């Protein structure tokens, strides 16, 4: 079976001592591509060189709301300049989005909508972060409609919200959260969504699977996410290969890889 981890942060320092071996192990498991999002300006600017060092890596560029304290008003112009210059090396704009746990929603919204405009200009999908903010994201989509879709990273909303995003051309990122029995709402929603609207992800080194709490998460856990998804959708062994191909094709088509 072949997989794509649609969201992992392999450039983080947690992987400095193990990165090359880890990527080799991923290849041996059939995890063919690893998509690494941008989260700050400096880190986004470094990702082209990072991707050249690792042939399995594909990259995005963006400003994550978690790092708003590092934001300077010049960053959007510099991000735009960089993405236009390196368009051929990018598969997405993001990670970007709106997070209600972080102050200054007005500024977050302005930055997010700049990312949408940029993705539209470059004909790229978006990697969208959310936290208690589906309503705010929907408002931004009304003001600034994404033309090339994207993925709602670590989706954890309602079935109605899932259907809304799908109508906007987005796919839903499915990761370790579905391995937790307490996440019944997300598990139920994912069980009802057709595979062409889902992407597998790990968010490594964060978002460990149930039973692995306290450990550094890695893309090697992606097959376990897949197995849990098969259980939720009651897909038995004879049909797993076809299901896996649908997920692989969904990711490959969105990011054109």
């Amino acid at each position: 079976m072949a997989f794509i981890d649609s969201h992992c942060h392999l450039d983080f320092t947690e992987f400095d001592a193990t990165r090359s071996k880890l990527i080799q192990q991923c290849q041996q498991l059939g995890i063919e591509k690893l998509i690494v999002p941008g989260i700050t300006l400096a880190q986004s600017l470094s990702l082209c060189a990072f991707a050249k060092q690792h042939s399995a890596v594909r990259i995005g560029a963006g400003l994550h709301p978690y790092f708003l304290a590092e934001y300077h008003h010049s960053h959007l112009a510099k991000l735009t300049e960089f993405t236009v210059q390196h368009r051929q090396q990018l598969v997405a704009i993001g990670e970007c989005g709106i997070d209600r746990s972080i102050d200054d929603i007005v500024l977050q919204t302005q930055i997010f909508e700049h990312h949408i405009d940029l993705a539209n200009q470059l004909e790229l999908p978006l990697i969208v972060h959310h936290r208690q903010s589906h309503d705010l994201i929907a408002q931004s989509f009304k003001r600034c409609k994404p033309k090339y879709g994207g993925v709602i990273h670590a989706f954890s909303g309602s079935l109605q919200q899932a259907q809304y995003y799908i109508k906007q051309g987005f796919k839903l990122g499915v990761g370790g959260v579905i391995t937790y029995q307490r996440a019944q709402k997300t598990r139920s929603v994912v069980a009802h969504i057709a595979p062409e609207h889902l992407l597998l992800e790990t968010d490594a080194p964060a978002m460990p699977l149930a039973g692995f709490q306290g450990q550094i998460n890695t893309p090697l856990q992606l097959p376990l996410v897949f197995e849990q998804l098969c259980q939720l959708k009651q897909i038995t062994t004879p049909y797993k290969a076809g299901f896996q191909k649908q997920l692989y094709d969904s990711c490959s088509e969105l990011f054109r890889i």
Side-chain angles (χ1 to χ4, degrees), residues 132-146:
Q132 301 173 347
S133 57
H134 292 303
D135 59 324
L136 299 176
I137 289 170
Q139 291 169 23
S140 286
F141 283 0
K142 287 182 180 179
R143 289 188 293 267
C144 187
K145 181 175 175 57

Side-chain angles (χ1 to χ4, degrees), residues 187-200:
R187 286 163 58 87
S188 176
V189 170
V190 167
H192 284 86
I193 301 299
E196 61 266 27
H197 304 307
L198 301 175
L199 302 184
L200 296 175

Side-chain angles (χ1 to χ4, degrees), residues 14 59 92 145 168 207 222:
E14 287 91 334
I59 60 170
K145 181 175 175 57
Q168 303 305 309
M207 213 162 74
L222 199 68

Side-chain angles (χ1 to χ4, degrees), residues 43-80:
Q43 179 259 3
S44 291
L45 297 181
S46 73
L47 284 180
C48 282
F50 181 79
K52 287 181 180 178
Q53 295 172 4
H54 307 286
S55 61
V57 167
R58 300 294 183 270
I59 60 170
L63 307 178
H64 192 300
Y66 276 0
F67 302 95
L68 199 62
E70 300 178 23
Y71 176 75
H72 184 270
H73 64 81
S74 66
H75 285 187
L76 287 180
K78 292 178 179 178
L79 181 71
T80 298

Side-chain angles (χ1 to χ4, degrees), residues 31-131:
I31 304 167
E32 295 181 351
K33 299 290 187 296
L34 303 148
I35 297 178
V36 178
I39 54 171
T40 68
L41 179 64
Q43 179 259 3
S44 291
L45 297 181
S46 73
L47 284 180
C48 282
F50 181 79
K52 287 181 180 178
Q53 295 172 4
H54 307 286
S55 61
V57 167
R58 300 294 183 270
I59 60 170
L63 307 178
H64 192 300
Y66 276 0
F67 302 95
L68 199 62
E70 300 178 23
Y71 176 75
H72 184 270
H73 64 81
S74 66
H75 285 187
L76 287 180
K78 292 178 179 178
L79 181 71
T80 298
E81 180 182 6
F82 170 76
T83 56
V84 169
Q85 183 178 356
H86 296 277
R87 166 63 181 82
Q88 297 307 313
Q89 285 75 50
L90 300 175
V91 300
I93 295 298
E95 185 173 353
C96 57
I98 303 176
D99 191 315
R100 267 202 172 93
S101 72
I102 298 166
D103 292 336
D104 206 337
I105 294 297
V106 172
L107 179 58
Q108 286 190 57
T109 300
Q110 292 171 350
I111 295 171
F112 179 47
E113 292 179 8
H114 182 93
H115 282 76
I116 300 173
D117 281 333
L118 187 56
N120 288 343
Q121 175 187 341
L122 299 178
E123 302 182 2
L124 287 169
L126 289 156
I127 299 173
V128 178
H129 167 88
H130 65 89
R131 178 172 288 184

